[in-house]
């Protein structure tokens, strides 16, 4: 989590950005995603609509995203089966 120079805004990690995309694809609202990730609805919207910096330009990053996406999906499915 890096802070932008001269800004209160922080840069989201790659994992957080992937989480935003996955949650959005599952139908979660921008507001709810923003609360969960700790960012604004505007930032969530930019990431979800593809206006943010592209992810996974390298093969290594694509592999990491694939593993992370699988883990997040499995975690979401587990939460749906066993709600708190």
């Amino acid at each position: 989590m890096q802070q932008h120079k001269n800004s209160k805004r922080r840069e989201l990690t790659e994992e957080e950005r992937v989480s935003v995309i996955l949650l959005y694809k599952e139908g979660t609202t921008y507001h709810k995603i923003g609360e969960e990730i700790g960012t604004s609805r505007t930032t969530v919207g930019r990431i979800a609509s593809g206006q943010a910096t592209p992810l996974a330009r390298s093969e290594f990053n694509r592999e990491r995203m694939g593993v992370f996406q699988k883990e997040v999906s499995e975690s979401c499915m587990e939460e749906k089966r066993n709600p708190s």
Side-chain angles (χ1 to χ4, degrees):
M1 292 186 264
Q2 294 180 341
Q3 189 88 10
H4 284 275
K5 189 176 181 178
N6 300 324
S7 174
K8 293 180 182 178
R9 211 171 44 133
R10 69 175 179 87
E11 187 175 316
L12 297 181
T13 65
E14 188 169 317
E15 287 81 11
E16 288 171 321
R17 292 170 62 211
V18 170
S19 293
V20 166
I21 293 166
L22 293 174
L23 288 167
Y24 175 70
K25 286 182 177 183
E26 291 177 355
T28 308
T29 64
Y30 287 177
H31 181 77
K32 181 75 173 165
I33 296 169
E35 285 180 343
E36 287 185 32
I37 302 295
T39 193
S40 71
R41 291 178 296 184
T42 302
T43 299
V44 171
R46 286 187 184 127
I47 293 168
S49 68
Q51 294 177 3
T53 306
L55 294 172
R57 291 187 176 185
S58 71
E59 185 175 331
F60 174 74
N61 284 345
R62 282 192 298 275
E63 275 183 34
R64 285 182 52 214
M65 281 179 47
V67 169
F68 180 73
Q69 184 175 11
K70 181 179 177 188
E71 290 172 357
V72 170
S73 294
E74 289 172 354
S75 173
C76 290
M77 289 174 66
E78 183 65 31
E79 285 181 16
K80 287 179 182 179
R81 282 183 280 214
N82 301 315
S84 300

